[in-house]
Amino acid sequence: PSGLRALDFPSRTQLVSGVGSVERVGEQAKAIGVKNLLLVTDAGIVVAGHAGRVQKNLEAAGLRVTLFDRARENPTTKCVDDCVAGARAAGVDGLVGLGGGSSMDTAKGCNFILTNDGRMQDYWGVGKATKPMLPFIAIPTTAGTGSELQSAALIADDQTHQKMACLDPKCAARIAILDPVLTVSQPPRVTACTGIDAIAHAVETAVTTKRTDVSQKLSAEAFKL
């Protein structure tokens, strides 16, 4: 959107946007020096053909890709542990989260444990990770969550069902690829729900007492859109 491009603000995540921009994932991944990636997504994204498209593009750039397609809505600690097992078995040096917030949060949760060990519960709170994390590329397929620019993994404890917000700047995506084409295959209800989600984020960002000049500009532009 032209209004968003006109905003001048610093971002720790490089934004790559536009129709067909997902086709640049291979070159972008290569540019940050990764060679062996775990592609974290869900079964629906595989059926829609998006996962295969991303995997093919990454492999065409000479990168090794392992698919983890068991991300679930409202991911739990077990989901993250399963993802970590896949990442360790493949010996990956980077992660790609493709899908809604659940896929991206699963990838972020995996990154915490893969690089810092322990359990997800150890990172509940702010800034609990002590070691750097692997490069992470976020590719949202919905308009709603904003997870591609958040430095948080929202993971539910598998036993207590308590949702844990694990926030750390180190888990933020290195690159976020925003391709509107990826959202077109959603069912109408998902499109509507994620639209409401985006509006809710714009409103809560505007009214929070922790707002900043940058967040005010972004929430106003998001609400206009």
Side-chain angles (χ1 to χ4, degrees):
S2 57
L4 193 55
R5 282 199 296 270
L7 293 175
D8 181 18
F9 65 96
S11 176
R12 65 195 155 205
T13 300
Q14 177 191 345
L15 286 173
V16 179
S17 62
V19 172
S21 55
V22 73
E23 299 294 347
R24 297 177 58 193
V25 62
E27 69 177 67
Q28 292 293 330
K30 208 167 181 179
I32 59 174
V34 293
K35 294 183 172 64
N36 182 7
L37 290 157
L38 186 72
L39 175 56
V40 181
T41 191
D42 66 56
I45 300 299
V46 173
V47 172
H50 300 322
R53 185 176 170 194
V54 168
Q55 182 167 353
K56 185 177 178 181
N57 191 281
L58 289 167
E59 289 174 343
L63 307 174
R64 183 179 167 195
V65 182
T66 300
L67 179 68
F68 178 84
D69 62 359
R70 288 180 284 144
R72 297 181 180 277
E73 191 176 351
N74 298 313
T76 66
T77 47
K78 183 184 186 307
C79 189
V80 170
D81 289 343
D82 290 344
C83 188
V84 170
R88 283 181 174 152
V92 301
D93 62 3
L95 297 154
V96 176
L98 171 68
S102 298
S103 291
M104 290 183 276
D105 280 7
T106 299
K108 288 180 196 171
C110 173
N111 211 355
F112 270 99
I113 297 174
L114 202 57
T115 54
N116 283 260
D117 295 321
R119 307 184 308 148
M120 209 66 244
Q121 290 86 341
D122 300 332
Y123 305 104
W124 188 4
V126 181
K128 299 287 184 72
T130 57
K131 299 173 185 173
M133 297 192 200
L134 297 180
F136 168 52
I137 298 173
I139 311 175
T141 59
T142 80
T145 73
S147 182
E148 68 275 6
L149 281 176
Q150 292 173 354
S151 58
L154 191 61
I155 308 295
D157 186 304
D158 197 51
Q159 299 301 313
T160 66
H161 310 295
Q162 171 72 56
K163 279 196 173 185
M164 302 177 291
C166 307
L167 298 96
D168 199 295
K170 292 186 280 295
C171 87
R174 185 83 62 88
I175 298 168
I177 299 178
L178 308 177
D179 189 339
V181 173
L182 297 178
T183 69
V184 175
S185 62
Q186 295 176 123
R189 177 173 169 77
V190 176
T191 301
C193 288
T194 55
I196 293 294
D197 194 13
I199 291 171
H201 285 308
V203 172
E204 67 188 3
T205 304
V207 301
T208 177
T209 56
K210 293 184 181 292
R211 61 185 178 268
T212 67
D213 288 343
V214 171
S215 71
Q216 282 289 83
K217 289 176 183 176
L218 291 172
S219 59
E221 181 62 26
F223 195 79
K224 286 178 194 172
L225 291 169

